[in-house]
mmCIF file of all heavy atoms in Angstrom:
data_model
loop_
_atom_site.group_PDB
_atom_site.id
_atom_site.type_symbol
_atom_site.label_atom_id
_atom_site.label_comp_id
_atom_site.label_asym_id
_atom_site.label_seq_id
_atom_site.Cartn_x
_atom_site.Cartn_y
_atom_site.Cartn_z
ATOM 1 N N LEU A 326 6.959 -2.269 -11.537
ATOM 2 C CA LEU A 326 6.066 -3.302 -11.332
ATOM 3 C C LEU A 326 4.737 -2.581 -11.082
ATOM 4 O O LEU A 326 4.562 -1.725 -10.233
ATOM 5 C CB LEU A 326 6.395 -4.240 -10.095
ATOM 6 C CG LEU A 326 7.601 -5.199 -10.372
ATOM 7 C CD1 LEU A 326 8.044 -5.643 -9.009
ATOM 8 C CD2 LEU A 326 7.097 -6.332 -11.158
ATOM 9 N N ILE A 327 3.671 -3.066 -11.823
ATOM 10 C CA ILE A 327 2.293 -2.513 -11.568
ATOM 11 C C ILE A 327 1.385 -3.683 -11.386
ATOM 12 O O ILE A 327 1.488 -4.715 -12.010
ATOM 13 C CB ILE A 327 1.825 -1.558 -12.745
ATOM 14 C CG1 ILE A 327 1.899 -2.403 -14.072
ATOM 15 C CG2 ILE A 327 2.725 -0.356 -12.773
ATOM 16 C CD1 ILE A 327 1.356 -1.615 -15.291
ATOM 17 N N GLY A 328 0.433 -3.463 -10.351
ATOM 18 C CA GLY A 328 -0.613 -4.494 -10.151
ATOM 19 C C GLY A 328 -1.943 -4.013 -9.974
ATOM 20 O O GLY A 328 -2.156 -2.813 -9.629
ATOM 21 N N GLY A 329 -2.851 -4.763 -10.272
ATOM 22 C CA GLY A 329 -4.329 -4.447 -10.134
ATOM 23 C C GLY A 329 -5.214 -5.642 -9.967
ATOM 24 O O GLY A 329 -4.768 -6.722 -9.672
ATOM 25 N N THR A 330 -6.529 -5.514 -10.329
ATOM 26 C CA THR A 330 -7.415 -6.527 -10.312
ATOM 27 C C THR A 330 -8.131 -6.644 -11.616
ATOM 28 O O THR A 330 -8.586 -5.489 -12.220
ATOM 29 C CB THR A 330 -8.423 -6.330 -9.137
ATOM 30 O OG1 THR A 330 -7.693 -6.150 -7.895
ATOM 31 C CG2 THR A 330 -9.465 -7.389 -9.090
ATOM 32 N N THR A 331 -8.426 -7.734 -12.179
ATOM 33 C CA THR A 331 -9.122 -7.846 -13.463
ATOM 34 C C THR A 331 -10.280 -8.866 -13.355
ATOM 35 O O THR A 331 -10.218 -9.842 -12.474
ATOM 36 C CB THR A 331 -8.070 -8.425 -14.544
ATOM 37 O OG1 THR A 331 -8.825 -8.368 -15.741
ATOM 38 C CG2 THR A 331 -7.617 -9.788 -14.178
ATOM 39 N N ALA A 332 -11.280 -8.727 -14.086
ATOM 40 C CA ALA A 332 -12.411 -9.625 -14.083
ATOM 41 C C ALA A 332 -12.062 -10.878 -14.855
ATOM 42 O O ALA A 332 -11.279 -10.892 -15.856
ATOM 43 C CB ALA A 332 -13.543 -8.917 -14.823
ATOM 44 N N VAL A 333 -12.553 -11.983 -14.366
ATOM 45 C CA VAL A 333 -12.235 -13.336 -14.959
ATOM 46 C C VAL A 333 -13.639 -14.031 -15.239
ATOM 47 O O VAL A 333 -14.549 -13.953 -14.314
ATOM 48 C CB VAL A 333 -11.324 -14.093 -14.143
ATOM 49 C CG1 VAL A 333 -9.828 -13.521 -14.246
ATOM 50 C CG2 VAL A 333 -11.701 -14.307 -12.840
ATOM 51 N N ASN A 334 -13.693 -14.848 -16.161
ATOM 52 C CA ASN A 334 -14.861 -15.710 -16.480
ATOM 53 C C ASN A 334 -14.519 -17.037 -15.912
ATOM 54 O O ASN A 334 -13.997 -17.897 -16.787
ATOM 55 C CB ASN A 334 -15.287 -15.611 -17.882
ATOM 56 C CG ASN A 334 -16.643 -16.336 -18.076
ATOM 57 O OD1 ASN A 334 -17.257 -16.802 -17.184
ATOM 58 N ND2 ASN A 334 -16.994 -16.380 -19.357
ATOM 59 N N ALA A 335 -14.792 -17.337 -14.613
ATOM 60 C CA ALA A 335 -14.428 -18.695 -14.067
ATOM 61 C C ALA A 335 -15.542 -19.703 -14.440
ATOM 62 O O ALA A 335 -16.705 -19.261 -14.860
ATOM 63 C CB ALA A 335 -14.293 -18.455 -12.636
ATOM 64 N N ALA A 336 -15.315 -20.873 -14.018
ATOM 65 C CA ALA A 336 -16.273 -21.974 -14.337
ATOM 66 C C ALA A 336 -17.552 -21.662 -13.618
ATOM 67 O O ALA A 336 -18.705 -22.135 -14.050
ATOM 68 C CB ALA A 336 -15.690 -23.375 -13.992
ATOM 69 N N ASN A 337 -17.497 -21.088 -12.469
ATOM 70 C CA ASN A 337 -18.666 -20.912 -11.665
ATOM 71 C C ASN A 337 -19.151 -19.374 -11.689
ATOM 72 O O ASN A 337 -19.835 -18.913 -10.886
ATOM 73 C CB ASN A 337 -18.531 -21.216 -10.230
ATOM 74 C CG ASN A 337 -17.251 -20.500 -9.585
ATOM 75 O OD1 ASN A 337 -16.573 -19.902 -10.361
ATOM 76 N ND2 ASN A 337 -17.141 -20.637 -8.273
#
Side-chain angles (χ1 to χ4, degrees):
L326 286 163
I327 55 175
T330 303
T331 185
V333 293
N334 189 1
N337 55 349

